[in-house]
Amino acid sequence: MRKYLPKMNYQATDFNYCLFTVFYMNNFVKLKFINFNCAKIKNFCGENRKGLFILARVCYYKYMLREEIKNLLEKAVYSAVKDKKLPDFGLPEKAREDFWRSVTVEHPENKDFGDYFSNAALRLAKILRKPSMEIAEIIAAKISRVKEMKKYFTRAEVAKPGFINFYLSPDYLRKSVAEIIKKGDKFGDLKIGKGEKVQLEFISANPTGPLTIANGRGGFMGDVLRNVMKTAGYKAEAEYFINDSKHSNQIRELGKTILGKGEMYKSEYLNERLADFKVKFSDIEGAGSAVANEIVKDHKEKIKNKFNIKFDKWFSEQSLYDKNNVQKILLELDETGFTHKKDGAVWLKTSERGDDEDRVLVRADGEPTYFLSDIAYHADKFSRGYGKIINFWGADHHGHVRRLKIAMEILGYDSSKVEIIIMQLVRLIKNGQEVKMSKRMGQYITLEELVDEVGLDVARFFFLMVSANRQVDFDMSLAKEKSEKNPVYYVQYAYARIGSILRKLGGEIKKSELADLKNLEEEAEFDLAKKLLELPEIIEDTARDFQVQRLPQYAVELARYFHNFYAQCRVISEDKKLSVARFALITATQIALRKILGIMGVSAPEKM
């Protein structure tokens, strides 16, 4: 029997809620441990080795229904094997773990197919070489007899070609509404991160002009992902890399522009601010460096006070040279045997690790490249103990991804810990026409101008709506519209409407009134309650794959379900128990909306 069961990974970590299914003395037993340390379970297993096998996973959060469904599926499958309803399908440990990872639990687009569905039977069919429908029927029959099934679901049904559909029970939905209210602003908080250190680097704009709307896209996405990671239980830190190296070509070109010896960075922004900067211009490098430092100060002020983006650290590229880190990394690379000299320059043999060609580390004139300082910077990140390093880069940096990861591997670092999110371009649409932008020609709409015109809430929300790998068409007309066509207005209006209703009902609901919500029985009420339960899933999924567009999409969907409920169900009525029950439902909705808006850095207005 042991060969069928997933391996238990013990960790010295405390959890608020954990659930185990064990096979003990030929019976399946479910154990719950509240506020325990995993060492207790390890001791328990050590004392009861005979006939005891840990079956299921740790449930970090008791609202993670998808985890509970996987528990039910695993329990049903192994029970069916024991009863010889399913054939022996012993797999090596790695294959077994991969199998259960491949089993998905998702929401169907059509609610006629339940609230969740799983592909477990379809996956098993490939291993057992049996019809998926037959396997699904066996699993569903087993699940229907499990006591815990009735706690969450009314039934589990089979649908072609072998999906198992789960239908949430009304009683569970009512209890969930009460639990959300009890959790309050902690609803949605998870512990899946286990305190792991994660670093996010974003914006890191060249200090040659004002922040552009492209900088804003990466800035808002990075800021929000940091919020998501923190909510999921990671120790997430945001960092801004200041491109202030005196060895940089852009600093030299900026100096030439300032001294009238070049025009690459000529713009109204520089012309207007040169007098304010109060710096003495000497040589090209000195002028470029001095003005770049003043521009960075301007960026810092705008980022913090105008755009509400928070950074835990501002890291100077020049500091890598001042501390001799760049030279040390060059020596380390030399020692690996992966460098060579050609045409007077020093090259890294990235082509031997799958790159298109070798890359220059030091130019023929002795000047280090940006690539070398970037390697030194990421080596510094690894030295600070981050379990995951996340970078937001512009589309023009796409070719830099592979070579950086190869360099990290050559130095002995785990390149899988580096996640680079490439952001596609932004098009600004104004009066139906694209606004042409060129930073170097000084013709562009700055991020500050955009925020002044449409508002910070709208700017953040609009940039978050589109995944990083897709181009953004920022519609200025829609952004300024005050109607349900504007998704920001639509979501905020839902929150404000709830606030208005709650004020009429006298504020907060009493905890004693949460015990009986049986009057919630309309379809629109249950649809809204189900949508509320998706919030922890949205947080979990986004913390794992960084697709922050889920957040505004969820906020719009939740607002839509609320508006539909409001149109169909009268909250304040002569039926006091019904009013209390609906009072609870909209209170829970307000909590969820406030949570998702807060994570996105968008305000939740009490009145509109």
Side-chain angles (χ1 to χ4, degrees):
M1 186 70 186
R2 186 179 186 87
K3 62 185 176 181
Y4 305 126
L5 307 181
K7 180 183 178 182
M8 180 62 199
N9 182 24
Y10 301 113
Q11 298 188 40
T13 308
D14 290 317
F15 302 105
N16 286 336
Y17 177 92
C18 290
L19 176 64
F20 292 86
T21 304
V22 301
F23 183 70
Y24 181 63
M25 302 299 285
N26 296 318
N27 289 291
F28 285 94
V29 183
K30 188 151 283 191
L31 304 177
K32 291 183 180 179
F33 295 82
I34 308 298
N35 295 323
F36 78 101
N37 187 284
C38 283
K40 295 180 182 178
I41 296 300
K42 189 172 183 179
N43 292 336
F44 178 78
C45 295
E47 295 166 4
N48 298 271
R49 290 181 183 277
K50 188 175 181 180
L52 175 64
F53 305 104
I54 297 297
L55 249 190
R57 67 202 72 254
V58 178
C59 296
Y60 302 114
Y61 193 77
K62 59 200 273 189
Y63 290 115
M64 301 303 285
L65 280 170
R66 295 180 303 187
E67 291 300 309
E68 185 58 36
I69 290 172
K70 278 203 173 185
N71 279 331
L72 292 171
L73 289 167
E74 289 182 23
K75 185 173 183 179
V77 167
Y78 296 127
S79 177
V81 171
K82 181 173 79 79
D83 294 344
K84 301 189 184 307
K85 299 287 186 181
L86 290 176
D88 183 323
F89 68 104
L91 293 172
E93 182 178 302
K94 177 68 165 61
R96 187 174 62 246
E97 292 176 352
D98 289 343
F99 166 74
W100 283 110
R101 254 193 301 271
S102 72
V103 172
T104 60
V105 178
E106 302 174 68
H107 295 281
E109 292 184 9
N110 186 341
K111 64 182 180 181
D112 290 339
F113 294 114
D115 301 303
Y116 292 88
F117 73 93
S118 176
N119 68 344
L122 294 166
R123 299 296 302 168
L124 275 172
K126 296 180 179 180
I127 299 173
L128 303 181
R129 300 184 183 280
K130 288 175 67 70
S132 56
M133 285 294 289
E134 181 182 337
I135 296 172
E137 292 287 358
I138 292 171
I139 295 174
K142 282 287 185 182
I143 287 176
S144 65
R145 300 190 189 102
V146 178
K147 180 181 177 181
E148 288 77 10
M149 164 76 178
K150 299 302 180 184
K151 177 181 177 182
Y152 304 101
F153 308 101
T154 57
R155 64 192 189 279
E157 293 182 348
V158 174
K160 292 180 179 181
F163 292 114
I164 303 174
N165 301 331
F166 295 83
Y167 297 77
L168 287 168
S169 75
D171 283 342
Y172 178 73
L173 290 170
R174 296 181 188 112
K175 290 176 183 177
S176 296
V177 169
E179 286 296 323
I180 291 170
I181 295 172
K182 290 176 184 177
K183 282 282 183 181
D185 289 340
K186 292 186 178 181
F187 173 60
D189 289 355
L190 307 177
K191 296 189 177 182
I192 60 172
K194 307 174 193 176
E196 180 183 16
K197 286 182 66 178
V198 175
Q199 192 228 44
L200 300 95
E201 182 218 328
F202 48 94
I203 301 182
S204 300
N206 291 333
T208 54
L211 294 171
T212 67
I213 60 175
N215 298 138
R217 185 181 192 191
F220 295 142
M221 293 186 82
D223 188 51
V224 171
L225 183 56
R226 190 268 302 269
N227 294 341
V228 169
M229 302 299 279
K230 283 189 171 183
T231 304
Y234 292 89
K235 185 179 179 182
E237 300 174 2
E239 185 159 302
Y240 188 112
F241 184 67
I242 305 171
N243 294 280
D244 60 350
S245 167
K246 294 177 182 178
H247 299 272
S248 167
N249 279 333
Q250 66 187 18
I251 295 297
R252 294 193 186 96
E253 290 299 330
L254 179 62
K256 290 178 182 178
T257 302
I258 292 164
L259 297 176
K261 298 179 180 179
E263 296 188 350
M264 180 172 288
Y265 295 114
K266 187 175 182 180
S267 67
E268 291 183 11
Y269 174 86
L270 277 181
N271 291 337
E272 292 172 357
R273 286 164 176 76
L274 283 179
D276 298 332
F277 288 157
K278 297 178 181 178
V279 292
K280 295 180 179 179
F281 305 143
S282 51
D283 58 13
I284 290 174
E285 286 186 3
S289 181
V291 172
N293 288 336
E294 293 298 321
I295 291 175
V296 169
K297 291 179 185 177
D298 185 47
H299 287 179
K300 279 186 178 182
E301 192 278 328
K302 296 288 194 311
I303 286 169
K304 179 181 178 180
N305 300 319
K306 188 82 176 182
F307 311 134
N308 195 27
I309 296 173
K310 302 176 183 65
F311 282 102
D312 300 290
K313 185 178 180 66
W314 294 73
F315 191 103
S316 165
E317 181 184 7
Q318 183 58 39
S319 71
L320 293 170
Y321 290 95
D322 295 341
K323 296 176 182 179
N324 211 30
N325 286 6
V326 175
Q327 187 61 32
K328 289 177 183 176
I329 285 296
L330 182 59
L331 291 174
E332 286 185 34
L333 290 170
D334 283 339
E335 291 172 359
T336 67
F338 274 90
T339 63
H340 69 97
K341 291 185 178 181
K342 177 183 174 183
D343 300 329
V346 179
W347 300 70
L348 186 64
K349 299 176 185 178
T350 54
S351 62
E352 294 186 10
R353 290 293 189 94
D355 198 4
D356 298 332
E357 58 183 350
D358 292 345
R359 305 294 173 174
V360 178
L361 296 173
V362 182
R363 300 184 186 91
D365 61 3
E367 286 296 323
T369 62
Y370 179 81
F371 180 41
L372 179 57
S373 68
D374 207 24
I375 295 172
Y377 177 44
H378 283 80
D380 181 88
K381 290 184 181 186
F382 273 104
S383 72
R384 287 182 263 161
Y386 293 111
K388 179 68 74 174
I389 296 167
I390 305 170
N391 296 340
F392 285 82
W393 289 357
D396 56 337
H397 284 71
H398 187 274
H400 192 67
V401 176
R402 183 190 293 181
R403 71 189 73 162
L404 177 65
K405 288 201 168 194
I406 290 172
M408 292 297 102
E409 292 167 3
I410 290 172
L411 288 169
Y413 297 111
D414 183 355
S415 67
S416 68
K417 291 184 177 182
V418 180
E419 187 75 29
I420 298 175
I421 300 172
I422 298 295
M423 296 170 299
Q424 294 305 313
L425 302 175
V426 178
R427 290 200 317 165
L428 192 63
I429 309 300
K430 201 169 187 178
N431 299 322
Q433 299 292 322
E434 179 184 354
V435 178
K436 298 293 183 180
M437 293 177 287
S438 171
K439 188 170 183 179
R440 290 189 172 182
M441 295 304 294
Q443 300 168 352
Y444 47 82
I445 300 294
T446 68
L447 180 58
E448 183 178 14
E449 290 169 338
L450 179 68
V451 169
D452 285 341
E453 189 162 348
V454 304
L456 181 58
D457 286 344
V458 173
R460 290 184 75 105
F461 202 102
F462 272 45
F463 278 129
L464 294 172
M465 287 193 300
V466 182
S467 63
N469 62 1
R470 288 176 51 203
Q471 178 176 281
V472 172
D473 285 346
F474 196 106
D475 189 334
M476 295 286 288
S477 299
L478 179 61
K480 292 189 283 187
E481 189 162 331
K482 304 293 184 183
S483 75
E484 64 180 23
K485 293 180 182 179
N486 183 332
V488 190
Y489 181 90
Y490 186 69
V491 173
Q492 290 182 322
Y493 185 67
Y495 185 86
R497 173 173 272 177
I498 293 172
S500 175
I501 298 169
L502 294 181
R503 285 191 293 273
K504 289 179 182 178
L505 288 170
E508 298 182 358
I509 191 169
K510 298 177 182 177
K511 289 186 178 180
S512 60
E513 295 175 320
L514 295 175
D516 183 10
L517 299 179
K518 64 183 179 181
N519 289 82
L520 293 177
E521 53 188 18
E522 297 293 333
E523 183 179 7
E525 295 168 336
F526 290 141
D527 285 345
L528 179 55
K530 291 172 186 177
K531 183 56 64 173
L532 294 175
L533 291 179
E534 291 181 27
L535 177 57
E537 299 171 0
I538 295 294
I539 301 300
E540 181 188 29
D541 290 345
T542 306
R544 295 199 190 283
D545 66 11
F546 319 137
Q547 300 296 313
V548 295
Q549 72 275 6
R550 279 196 195 93
L551 278 68
Q553 290 168 2
Y554 172 77
V556 171
E557 290 173 4
L558 181 57
R560 178 165 57 83
Y561 277 95
F562 167 73
H563 288 306
N564 179 61
F565 156 80
Y566 184 80
Q568 296 188 39
C569 303
R570 187 177 177 184
V571 179
I572 305 173
S573 68
E574 294 179 359
D575 187 334
K576 184 178 179 181
K577 288 187 176 180
L578 179 59
S579 294
V580 169
R582 289 176 174 170
F583 183 15
L585 180 57
I586 66 171
T587 298
T589 304
Q590 185 188 53
I591 289 168
L593 280 172
R594 182 167 60 244
K595 185 76 170 188
I596 198 72
L597 288 170
I599 292 172
M600 291 190 292
V602 176
S603 66
E606 294 296 330
K607 296 180 181 180
M608 286 182 71

